[in-house]
Amino acid sequence: MQIKKQMEDIILSDVQKQLIERLGVASEKEGLPPAPSRILALLMVSPVTELTFDQIREHLNLSKSATSTALNLLLTTNRIDYITQSGDRKRYFKNRIGNWRENIKGSVKKITNSADVLEEILNTRPDNTPEFNKDLKDLISFLRFMNDNLPALYRQWEEQND
Amino acid sequence: MQIKKQMEDIILSDVQKQLIERLGVASEKEGLPPAPSRILALLMVSPVTELTFDQIREHLNLSKSATSTALNLLLTTNRIDYITQSGDRKRYFKNRIGNWRENIKGSVKKITNSADVLEEILNTRPDNTPEFNKDLKDLISFLRFMNDNLPALYRQWEEQND
DNA sequence: ATTTTGGTTCAGTAATTGAAGAACTAAAAG
DNA sequence: CTTTTAGTTCTTCAATTACTGAACCAAAAT
């Protein structure tokens, strides 16, 4: 087969490039390294949502190894996914934005978690710091309250969103 | 005045030390460097809530410089505060846990912010990726919904908590 | 059978971070 | 006015991060 598959040349406007940087920086603040952050942002902004290893690599001026490592990190942390097409060895990577509901659940879970740690702390605290203990108690109470009520709030959004 | 002020020797149980580590690691995940994270955790767990430079320094085995830098970071980011006592040059540092309401407000603000970025991205997206766009749209809608409804939920907690 | 494709893995490196230590300083005590 | 206290600031150092480039490899194409 001589017909070389035409690489879809994704061209991004300056605005789109800026959005990649902005979103990339946001991901870095969440603790992701720069390269994975950029990849994730590219897969969010690119008009073509499914990009090959080399498209990503070229667009972000990364080395093969950096691209490989970053993609594998994103894959193992469930932030991206890839599909294949029969008769094409390439993998097409895509942002798993459809997973946002799962991600939100994860964030809520983290709230429970920190409430638990704070509660353990509260249990070790002496009685002679009532103001401090009250603040801590309130915070824990608030976190638990949020935990209990967020699911209902989510369902409420779901309804109005149908 | 010859009476050397007795340094209140804060002694922490193993459980409390572990809690400091756990809470410290949690802070590191939020992007704080190790030393500030430990200090913040110590000021949460310590039965004495107001500690001097040297008490902190000694308890965490930090150098003076590390202690100084870390404390100043925590001060400028409003995570701790200090009080003084007349006729005592030392500053007594304390965790500003009472500020948790402010902090929560900050987190909510961050939701708005990311919704804004995502909306900008949505506006640049082509029409030929309807599934992706729908997911993005839903996420934005959900974030906005949360933003609009969280204040009321907070007030609800406030009432039940009186 | 050998070349190309689509990567992975490894060794090395440059930049950044986080802390240590020593020198320094301003205010208060002696 | 000298010393002590309560830190700050500066230089240095070690560890870690985030990448590059080169070698490598398995499957598919030629």
Side-chain angles (χ1 to χ4, degrees):
Chain A
M1 179 239 286
Q2 294 296 52
I3 306 144
K4 220 171 218 156
K5 189 163 211 178
Q6 195 70 24
M7 156 115 75
E8 290 212 53
D9 225 352
I10 43 157
I11 304 161
L12 302 178
S13 69
D14 284 354
V15 173
Q16 286 171 320
K17 282 178 197 161
Q18 280 176 42
L19 281 171
I20 291 176
E21 283 313 305
R22 280 217 274 155
L23 196 59
V25 169
S27 287
E28 285 185 53
K29 285 189 188 152
E30 305 293 293
L32 266 196
S37 297
R38 295 294 173 291
I39 293 178
L40 215 48
L42 172 62
L43 291 175
M44 198 78 167
V45 171
S46 166
V48 182
T49 55
E50 288 152 15
L51 299 182
T52 66
F53 188 100
D54 271 318
Q55 285 178 312
I56 292 167
R57 192 205 105 94
E58 277 165 33
H59 203 89
L60 298 175
N61 292 309
L62 291 171
S63 65
K64 283 176 85 176
S65 52
T67 308
S68 176
T69 313
L71 284 173
N72 287 323
L73 171 68
L74 294 172
L75 283 169
T76 57
T77 56
N78 284 326
R79 277 182 266 241
I80 63 169
D81 203 355
Y82 65 86
I83 56 165
T84 49
Q85 266 134 35
S86 64
D88 184 352
R89 197 144 57 98
K90 285 196 274 300
R91 292 179 294 176
Y92 291 81
F93 298 93
K94 54 176 302 192
N95 196 315
R96 278 178 80 176
I97 190 183
N99 261 41
W100 68 263
R101 277 160 243 254
E102 296 290 322
N103 293 209
I104 296 287
K105 268 182 210 161
S107 316
V108 173
K109 185 108 191 168
K110 280 204 295 186
I111 297 179
T112 331
N113 216 320
S114 59
D116 289 347
V117 180
L118 293 178
E119 189 132 42
E120 284 191 64
I121 290 173
L122 180 62
N123 290 337
T124 72
R125 294 210 55 81
D127 294 339
N128 62 348
T129 59
E131 204 183 325
F132 190 98
N133 297 8
K134 169 100 172 56
D135 283 334
L136 185 50
K137 208 168 196 165
D138 283 351
L139 175 53
I140 294 166
S141 158
F142 173 75
L143 294 175
R144 300 255 187 250
F145 179 83
M146 282 297 141
N147 240 286
D148 294 342
N149 289 280
L150 286 177
L153 197 55
Y154 169 72
R155 280 192 298 277
Q156 203 179 312
W157 170 79
E158 233 176 6
E159 280 170 36
Q160 75 130 52
N161 202 239
D162 284 337
Chain B
M1 181 236 288
Q2 294 296 55
I3 307 142
K4 219 169 217 159
K5 188 163 210 176
Q6 195 69 24
M7 158 113 76
E8 290 213 52
D9 225 352
I10 44 157
I11 303 160
L12 302 178
S13 69
D14 284 356
V15 173
Q16 285 171 321
K17 283 178 197 160
Q18 280 176 41
L19 281 170
I20 291 175
E21 282 315 303
R22 282 217 274 154
L23 196 59
V25 169
S27 286
E28 283 185 54
K29 284 188 188 152
E30 305 293 293
L32 265 196
S37 297
R38 295 294 172 291
I39 293 179
L40 216 47
L42 171 62
L43 291 175
M44 199 77 167
V45 171
S46 166
V48 182
T49 55
E50 287 154 15
L51 299 181
T52 65
F53 188 100
D54 271 318
Q55 284 178 313
I56 293 167
R57 192 206 106 95
E58 276 165 32
H59 204 90
L60 298 175
N61 292 309
L62 291 171
S63 66
K64 284 176 83 175
S65 52
T67 309
S68 176
T69 314
L71 284 173
N72 287 324
L73 172 68
L74 294 172
L75 283 169
T76 57
T77 56
N78 283 324
R79 276 181 266 238
I80 63 169
D81 203 356
Y82 65 85
I83 55 164
T84 50
Q85 267 133 33
S86 63
D88 185 352
R89 198 141 59 95
K90 285 197 272 299
R91 291 179 293 175
Y92 291 81
F93 298 94
K94 56 177 300 191
N95 196 317
R96 278 178 79 175
I97 191 185
N99 260 42
W100 68 264
R101 279 160 241 254
E102 296 290 322
N103 293 207
I104 296 286
K105 268 183 208 159
S107 316
V108 173
K109 185 105 193 173
K110 281 205 294 186
I111 299 179
T112 332
N113 215 321
S114 61
D116 289 347
V117 180
L118 293 178
E119 187 132 44
E120 283 189 65
I121 290 172
L122 180 62
N123 290 336
T124 72
R125 293 210 55 81
D127 294 340
N128 62 349
T129 59
E131 203 182 325
F132 189 98
N133 297 7
K134 169 106 173 49
D135 284 334
L136 185 49
K137 208 168 196 164
D138 282 351
L139 175 54
I140 295 166
S141 157
F142 173 75
L143 293 176
R144 299 254 188 250
F145 179 84
M146 282 298 142
N147 239 285
D148 295 342
N149 290 278
L150 286 177
L153 197 55
Y154 169 73
R155 279 192 299 277
Q156 204 179 312
W157 170 78
E158 233 177 9
E159 278 169 38
Q160 75 131 54
N161 202 238
D162 285 339

